[in-house]
Amino acid sequence: MRATLSLIALLLGLLSPVTGQADERLRLVATTGMIGDAVTLIGGDRVAVETLMGPGVDPHLYRQTRRDILAMTRADAVFWHGLALELQLEEFLERLAAHTPVYAVGEAVPEAARLPAGDFAGQFDPHVWMDPGRWRHVVVAIRDALTELAPAGRDAFAAHADAYLAELEALDAYAHEVLGSLPEGRRLLVTAHDAFGYLGDTYDLEVVGIQGISTDSEAGLARIEALVRLLVERRVPAIFVESSVDERHVRALVEGAAARGRTVAIGGTLFSDAMGPPGSYEGSYLGMLDHNLTTIARALGGEAPPRGRLGRLAEAPP
Ligand code: ZN
């Protein structure tokens, strides 16, 4: 028996001249960084994950490159968000689904837990990763999809997912603590686009995006003027730019408020639809949210440790 196994191993080695050994890992493609991070953590050494959208990339506007098409066509499975987040990829992924397993993991969040997108019936706010409690559903969906693709990994995937879910619980507790410390009258979060609805819903903040749920429409002058009035009337101390969205609208608000004699600070850059640099703490889902929560709490007058929940943030927000 052992001899037979060695022979098979030898043959597999001969068949894979590039690596010298058979690579039995699942070749997976993820669209957003947040999904790629979860698939990598839960899949462990049984997966090789390629993430299409890096730091600063806006998923609402992202269009697949020739290289992406090749990667997705060759992959064992593709994980995407759905809920109309990657609007430009939808058509391609629907066609791909005819011959490759394709998982819209954002849609694992039950309809009752989704927020509506504007006035359109049946359309939902896709930014579910902003609430660790809702992101749980996505983690579980990824665990189940990986188990379906590689049943032998069942126990490993379950153990990795459990560890991740425990981290999400700790992150949620931290969010309650630091956002709960914001004084009344300071619980208004103004950002570049409407990515923080789930954060506001879960932790009792009023959220206002200068652009809407998607970044594909411009904010008009009337919108800017209404928001400047809001900043002045509500004495908002700080508003936020986002790493994946043009900051000129945020600057226009700061200048508009200054013209009315009111100083509004830029409270920092939030990671809304893309994570930080790969390999950094902020380049992980847990680090991205820690950065956001810590930055928001400190800029709006709440209390949070300068380097975040685990003391790992690269720089202390102001
Ligand atoms: Zn967005």
Side-chain angles (χ1 to χ4, degrees):
M1 182 66 184
R2 188 172 294 170
T4 318
L5 285 177
S6 318
L7 183 64
I8 291 170
L10 180 69
L11 284 172
L12 284 172
L14 290 174
L15 290 172
S16 312
V18 179
T19 58
Q21 58 179 0
D23 187 350
E24 291 179 352
R25 295 181 300 171
L26 289 169
R27 286 172 310 170
L28 306 173
V29 170
T31 54
T32 70
M34 294 73 82
I35 294 172
D37 185 49
V39 174
T40 303
L41 285 172
I42 299 164
D45 57 12
R46 290 175 179 268
V47 300
V49 183
E50 182 173 344
T51 298
L52 302 185
M53 303 178 200
V57 175
D58 180 347
H60 301 288
L61 307 178
Y62 189 82
R63 215 173 256 287
Q64 69 270 20
T65 64
R66 223 175 277 177
R67 193 171 172 276
D68 296 343
I69 292 173
L70 201 63
M72 288 190 273
T73 310
R74 287 177 176 169
D76 293 316
V78 176
F79 289 77
W80 66 304
H81 190 81
L83 298 176
L85 178 71
E86 310 99 321
L87 213 52
Q88 313 289 335
L89 296 185
E90 267 180 21
E91 210 184 301
F92 175 80
L93 286 165
E94 273 160 21
R95 269 184 285 131
L96 184 73
H99 52 84
T100 299
V102 166
Y103 299 95
V105 290
E107 295 179 2
V109 175
E111 254 187 66
R114 297 181 200 164
L115 296 174
D119 302 325
F120 305 106
Q123 290 189 19
F124 302 99
D125 180 347
H127 304 89
V128 295
W129 56 90
M130 288 300 177
D131 167 21
R134 285 171 171 98
W135 193 243
R136 288 180 71 85
H137 296 288
V138 175
V139 170
V140 168
I142 290 171
R143 178 199 69 194
D144 292 348
L146 290 174
T147 305
E148 189 174 277
L149 293 164
R154 174 184 297 272
D155 293 347
F157 301 147
H160 298 158
D162 284 349
Y164 196 41
L165 292 173
E167 284 295 326
L168 293 184
E169 222 164 280
L171 183 67
D172 173 61
Y174 178 74
H176 276 292
E177 185 191 321
V178 299
L179 296 180
S181 76
L182 288 174
E184 273 314 311
R186 288 287 178 88
R187 308 187 66 84
L188 173 59
L189 175 65
V190 180
T191 62
H193 89 298
D194 258 327
F196 295 87
Y198 290 99
L199 187 87
D201 182 62
T202 308
Y203 305 106
D204 191 26
L205 295 181
E206 193 182 338
V207 294
V208 174
I210 306 173
Q211 282 172 278
I213 295 275
S214 177
T215 50
D216 64 1
S217 57
E218 288 289 315
L221 200 59
R223 173 86 181 144
I224 298 289
E225 279 172 3
L227 290 177
V228 167
R229 274 200 303 278
L230 180 76
L231 295 181
V232 172
E233 278 162 20
R234 302 275 294 269
R235 309 177 71 82
V236 174
I239 62 177
F240 301 87
V241 296
E242 298 173 25
S243 67
S244 54
V245 182
D246 194 318
E247 63 182 61
R248 69 200 145 90
H249 287 134
V250 178
R251 302 250 168 232
L253 287 197
V254 170
E255 283 158 24
R260 293 175 182 222
R262 174 97 195 135
T263 303
V264 176
I266 294 209
T269 301
L270 303 180
F271 297 113
S272 52
D273 293 1
M275 307 194 303
S280 70
Y281 176 55
E282 290 80 356
S284 69
Y285 170 79
L286 294 171
M288 160 195 191
L289 259 73
D290 188 2
H291 168 92
N292 288 350
L293 295 166
T294 306
T295 303
I296 293 167
R298 291 177 67 86
L300 294 182
E303 281 170 32
R307 304 288 291 272
R309 177 171 76 99
L310 304 171
R312 291 181 62 190
L313 292 178
E315 49 185 304

